[in-house]
Amino acid sequence: MTQVIVPALSIAGLATALALLILIAERYLMDYGEVELTINDDRKHRVKGGSTLLNTLKSESIFIPSACGGRATCAYCKVKAVRGFGEVLPTEEPLLTKEEITNNIRLSCQLKVKNDVAIEIPEELFSIREFKARVEAISDLTYDIKLFSFRLNEPEFIDFKPGQYIQFQAPEYGDIDESVYRAYSMCNVPEDKRTVELMVRLVPEGICTTYMFQYLSVGDAVTLTGPFGDFYLRKGDRRMICMAGGSGMAPLRSILKAMKPEQIARRRPIFFFGARSKRDLFMVDEWSAFEREHPDFKFVPALSSPEEGDDWNGETGFIPGLVEKYVDNVAEGEGYLCGSPGMLNACVEVLTKHGIPEERIYYDKFE
Amino acid sequence: MTSLSKQESQHTGDPRLAVIEEELRHGNYLRGDDRPLFRILEDDKAEVTRLGMDLDTITDKMRRLFEEGRKGFGDPVVVDEVYEVAVFEYRGIIVSPWLDHHAAPKAVVDTRNLKTGRRLRFSLLSLHLIRNYSFFQGKGSPFRINPRSLHEFFT
């Protein structure tokens, strides 16, 4: 037995050592020197070669959305590679369509900057910043959702569209020896440019939410990157059918609270908010006050499983089932959704069934 | 880095396994378990064989519990009159630590066998790792599923 195991382990050990050697050589010995990175034809940056395009851009304070830490999984970090990069890599292929490959769309986390390169990215990405901030307040909204308020320090101000999200960086802590980024929608209105507020639901064993719930305290320094996202109020006069559950209330709170009174009168927003039982409901008083202030706005909370003692006289059941009851001529409306993937699917299904085309249903998938 | 097949992952000396092991330790998937990855895989594989478990069939059942359970949006749903299932979905993805470019949606499935009273809790990532690599996670990992418990839950 030993005669078999020892040679096998020796070969394996040798192969591992060689693989590590190549990795070390790539990381520490290969010097690509300084190269030129051209963005959108007119912005030229002298950068140190050898890193991924995603990290190179970050070092130039240009932040491309990324949710997977550069592991070629989320496909958020697509850019147009104009010149200087090789063929599409096997790690990119599964995440690119044929049309994207034809148009030189690539994953910036997989591309290495080894020579002069040129790329194209949307202009709005230049407005994304990394913010140093401090925790100003933390409060419980429910037993598993907290409201975090951050005061921005450097830079001091943020411009965002109501509905957009920001990435929160959880540093290394406890057994976690890697910093991670997670995306959360802002729930405050953009008028207070020095504040970012997030509603965060605890994910069991979640790296970032565990940090935020168990380690983060008022006064702590944090890093935020953003704003990101295409979920915001569209122009027009269509009735807004808003649907959310849990912490999905966040972007809709930002959108609805930022609307002008005449806009609310015109768009007649209705907000269906789903929760399991009364202990999962929050900010009901705030929304009731908003209803009184704006007679053309309606808030419809619904409990899917009221508990004994909830003393609930409101709607029950899942929110997609309530649309028909409250909205005349659904097909003329516009959908604004935020929640879990399962809830989003159900809401999209009911709105399309009632005649709203998918292109008039807006949400961030965070997938 | 290409993904390892089930057979490859059982080969104790594969250098890719060493890289994956580092990733797993880094991500706390081997928490509280000092055994090397190949030993963990072998021990669980031996248990799976002893119990005559077919992991494709079992993970198909787990997937079905997720699909049926998610219709309750977090409320318990009874499936096949045997399983009470509550699925908790969260926004976002979890990247597979097996370096296989797989991302699992964040979801936790809590289920109870109404006939036996046994409970099973799993994430969609656990399901992926069990199905593709026979990896049940380290002994102290919060999403470790003991093969015997999994077997007993479905029998």
Side-chain angles (χ1 to χ4, degrees):
Chain A
M1 189 66 167
T2 315
Q3 288 156 325
V4 177
I5 290 174
V6 170
L9 288 178
S10 303
I11 294 167
L14 199 62
T16 308
L18 277 172
L20 288 173
L21 206 61
I22 292 167
L23 282 174
I24 291 165
E26 171 97 357
R27 187 161 178 182
Y28 297 105
L29 304 180
M30 297 292 282
D31 184 4
Y32 295 97
E34 205 174 65
V35 298
E36 187 171 80
L37 166 63
T38 306
I39 306 170
N40 295 356
D41 220 21
D42 56 355
R43 294 170 188 250
K44 312 257 183 216
H45 297 251
R46 297 299 299 175
V47 298
K48 190 175 181 316
S51 189
T52 65
L53 177 60
L54 182 70
N55 285 337
T56 305
L57 288 167
K58 192 180 173 196
S59 69
E60 295 297 298
S61 297
I62 298 166
F63 300 95
I64 307 290
S66 168
C68 70
R71 294 175 181 178
T73 306
C74 72
Y76 276 20
C77 66
K78 290 174 184 173
V79 300
K80 183 167 183 175
V82 178
R83 64 173 179 274
F85 300 103
E87 297 294 309
V88 172
L89 300 166
T91 49
E92 296 177 273
E93 254 175 6
L95 297 164
L96 298 172
T97 63
K98 278 182 184 168
E99 194 185 353
E100 284 174 330
I101 291 172
T102 308
N103 291 324
N104 293 324
I105 303 298
R106 307 286 297 272
L107 298 185
S108 63
C109 70
Q110 297 302 296
L111 300 179
K112 280 276 178 77
V113 180
K114 298 176 179 176
N115 43 265
D116 290 354
V117 295
I119 61 165
E120 283 178 16
I121 58 175
E123 282 293 324
E124 57 263 28
L125 290 184
F126 293 111
S127 63
I128 292 166
R129 292 281 174 271
E130 185 176 86
F131 296 89
K132 300 296 176 194
R134 287 209 177 268
V135 182
E136 195 167 54
I138 303 173
S139 56
D140 288 331
L141 294 177
T142 70
Y143 59 96
D144 69 347
I145 300 177
K146 284 184 190 287
L147 178 66
F148 293 86
S149 184
F150 303 102
R151 184 81 164 162
L152 303 180
N153 293 327
E154 181 60 47
E156 282 185 305
F157 303 109
I158 183 171
D159 283 310
F160 70 93
K161 289 181 189 172
Q164 285 192 300
Y165 67 90
I166 200 151
Q167 289 191 326
F168 177 91
Q169 183 183 3
E172 299 170 9
Y173 69 94
D175 291 337
I176 308 298
D177 56 3
E178 171 178 61
S179 158
V180 297
Y181 289 88
R182 295 288 184 268
Y184 300 104
S185 301
M186 286 166 279
C187 66
N188 56 314
V189 292
E191 272 70 33
D192 181 2
K193 290 174 181 288
R194 284 203 66 180
T195 302
V196 164
E197 285 185 343
L198 309 176
M199 288 174 181
V200 181
R201 183 180 174 200
L202 181 66
V203 178
E205 307 297 336
I207 294 173
C208 191
T209 59
T210 300
Y211 171 76
M212 294 179 83
F213 275 59
Q214 292 180 12
Y215 291 78
L216 200 60
S217 303
V218 171
D220 284 354
V222 300
T223 302
L224 307 165
T225 311
F228 298 101
D230 302 321
F231 184 59
Y232 49 81
L233 180 62
R234 264 49 181 190
K235 288 178 181 166
D237 290 334
R238 289 186 185 278
R239 183 164 200 196
M240 294 166 64
I241 303 167
C242 307
M243 304 167 88
S247 58
M249 179 191 284
L252 291 167
R253 181 173 182 256
S254 182
I255 289 173
L256 291 163
K257 293 289 176 84
M259 289 173 75
K260 294 187 174 79
E262 58 273 21
Q263 244 181 330
I264 292 176
R266 225 172 44 239
R267 307 287 301 260
R268 297 180 300 125
I270 181 164
F271 183 10
F272 297 97
F273 183 68
R276 289 189 67 196
S277 61
K278 230 173 170 177
R279 72 186 195 125
D280 298 286
L281 268 184
F282 56 94
M283 291 189 167
V284 174
D285 291 345
E286 183 182 304
W287 288 112
S288 299
F290 197 66
E291 261 185 338
R292 287 194 295 277
E293 203 180 323
H294 303 281
D296 292 300
F297 167 73
K298 180 136 192 75
F299 180 60
V300 184
L303 301 186
S304 58
S305 304
E307 289 173 359
E308 274 186 36
D310 267 356
D311 190 23
W312 178 250
N313 298 317
E315 291 291 352
T316 54
F318 297 125
I319 53 173
L322 296 173
V323 173
E324 200 168 5
K325 178 176 173 183
Y326 281 87
V327 186
D328 294 329
N329 205 359
V330 178
E332 291 303 311
E334 216 168 55
Y336 291 87
L337 319 176
C338 192
S340 67
M343 196 212 89
L344 285 179
N345 290 344
C347 292
V348 170
E349 195 180 317
V350 82
L351 293 180
T352 52
K353 198 183 94 188
H354 281 96
I356 301 186
E358 282 205 37
E359 56 269 24
R360 280 214 318 268
I361 303 172
Y362 309 107
Y363 52 91
D364 263 327
K365 268 196 155 182
F366 285 118
E367 285 180 351
Chain B
M1 178 67 60
T2 54
S3 64
L4 293 164
S5 70
K6 287 179 185 175
Q7 288 73 28
E8 281 175 321
S9 68
Q10 288 151 13
H11 176 58
T12 58
D14 194 318
R16 285 173 297 174
L17 206 59
V19 181
I20 289 167
E21 179 166 353
E22 196 184 320
E23 190 74 15
L24 292 171
R25 292 213 182 274
H26 199 56
N28 266 331
Y29 294 91
L30 302 179
R31 190 190 292 178
D33 202 328
D34 294 332
R35 294 173 299 164
L37 177 58
F38 78 84
R39 177 61 60 206
I40 294 172
L41 289 168
E42 278 192 352
D43 288 352
D44 282 338
K45 174 71 181 167
E47 183 76 341
V48 165
T49 307
R50 247 195 317 276
L51 295 166
M53 294 168 74
D54 176 350
L55 293 185
D56 284 346
T57 306
I58 284 180
T59 50
D60 279 348
K61 286 180 182 174
M62 292 164 80
R63 166 63 66 175
R64 183 156 178 274
L65 292 183
F66 163 70
E67 295 294 351
E68 293 299 315
R70 74 189 307 207
K71 293 174 185 168
F73 305 124
D75 285 344
V77 170
V78 175
V79 179
D80 299 338
E81 297 176 358
V82 177
Y83 305 104
E84 186 183 68
V85 192
V87 173
F88 302 95
E89 292 190 88
Y90 305 88
R91 294 190 293 170
I93 52 168
I94 305 180
V95 177
S96 166
W98 215 269
L99 304 175
D100 54 3
H101 306 292
H102 175 83
K106 273 186 196 168
V108 176
V109 181
D110 266 327
T111 174
R112 186 163 63 102
N113 185 319
L114 296 172
K115 287 185 176 165
T116 64
R118 292 183 193 280
R119 288 182 174 275
L120 176 68
R121 180 178 183 241
F122 62 92
S123 68
L124 288 191
L125 180 62
S126 314
L127 196 159
H128 169 75
L129 296 172
I130 292 171
R131 185 180 183 95
N132 293 285
Y133 312 111
S134 310
F135 176 57
F136 293 79
Q137 305 193 27
K139 277 179 184 166
S141 169
F143 284 99
R144 156 84 181 170
I145 301 174
N146 197 303
R148 179 174 288 277
S149 307
L150 186 58
H151 176 69
E152 288 173 349
F153 180 81
F154 284 109
T155 50

